[in-house]
């Protein structure tokens, strides 16, 4: 962000990769990933006293604006990993830990209700295949 036109450098980088690989947009959250919005909102006040964090958040905001895409949780966790000097992969580990807690909660809710909840597919019976 030290260049006179940082948006040009950011745009050039993002032209080479798809937005979903860059931590932007999410198929389950077409109006924005609420997890990312929460994390980034908590980080914003800290940026006043943390130049590295401020620069990272500025890149995220510029990329979001240039691509007309909203940040997802992956981007927010990557920003935290970089800004706070976490070990490489810590953001991914934190994401996996949060997902594991969600899966356990989902399984407990489903077991308690005795019915399948929030299915993303519809079971149509056993699939048969012809033996050749």
């Amino acid at each position: 962000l030290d260049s006179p036109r940082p948006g040009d450098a950011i745009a050039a980088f993002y032209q080479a990769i798809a937005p979903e690989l860059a931590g932007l947009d999410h198929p389950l959250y077409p109006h924005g990933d609420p997890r990312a919005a929460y994390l980034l909102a908590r980080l914003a006040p800290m940026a006043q006293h943390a130049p590295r964090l401020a620069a990272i958040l500025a890149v995220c905001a510029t990329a979001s604006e240039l691509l007309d895409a909203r940040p997802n949780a992956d981007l927010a966790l990557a920003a935290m990993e970089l800004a706070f000097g976490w070990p490489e992969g810590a953001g991914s580990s934190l994401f996996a830990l949060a997902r594991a807690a969600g899966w356990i909660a989902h399984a407990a809710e489903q077991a308690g209700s005795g019915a399948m909840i929030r299915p993303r597919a519809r079971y149509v019976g056993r699939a048969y295949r012809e033996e050749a």
Side-chain angles (χ1 to χ4, degrees):
L1 287 175
D2 291 334
S3 77
R5 296 177 50 106
D8 292 347
I10 294 167
F13 172 78
Y14 281 109
Q15 285 175 352
I17 60 176
E20 60 272 13
L21 299 177
L24 299 166
D25 281 345
H26 192 290
L28 297 179
Y29 303 111
H31 303 292
D33 187 336
R35 304 165 302 177
Y38 178 86
L39 291 171
L40 294 171
R42 298 306 167 279
L43 292 173
M46 294 180 210
Q48 295 174 18
H49 306 291
R52 182 179 174 97
L53 176 58
I56 290 167
L57 293 180
V59 168
C60 295
T62 300
S64 180
E65 184 179 315
L66 289 171
L67 298 172
D68 191 27
R70 292 185 174 100
N72 63 33
D74 297 327
L75 182 68
L77 289 169
M80 293 169 70
E81 183 176 312
L82 290 171
F84 302 131
W86 292 352
E88 186 175 334
S92 297
S93 297
L94 187 57
F95 182 86
L97 182 62
R99 287 303 305 139
W103 291 329
I104 292 167
H106 182 102
E109 182 180 349
Q110 187 165 301
S113 73
M116 192 173 195
I117 59 172
R118 297 187 295 276
R120 291 213 182 3
R122 183 178 180 100
Y123 179 71
V124 295
R126 183 174 174 194
Y128 294 95
R129 61 178 243 220
E130 292 182 33
E131 298 292 326

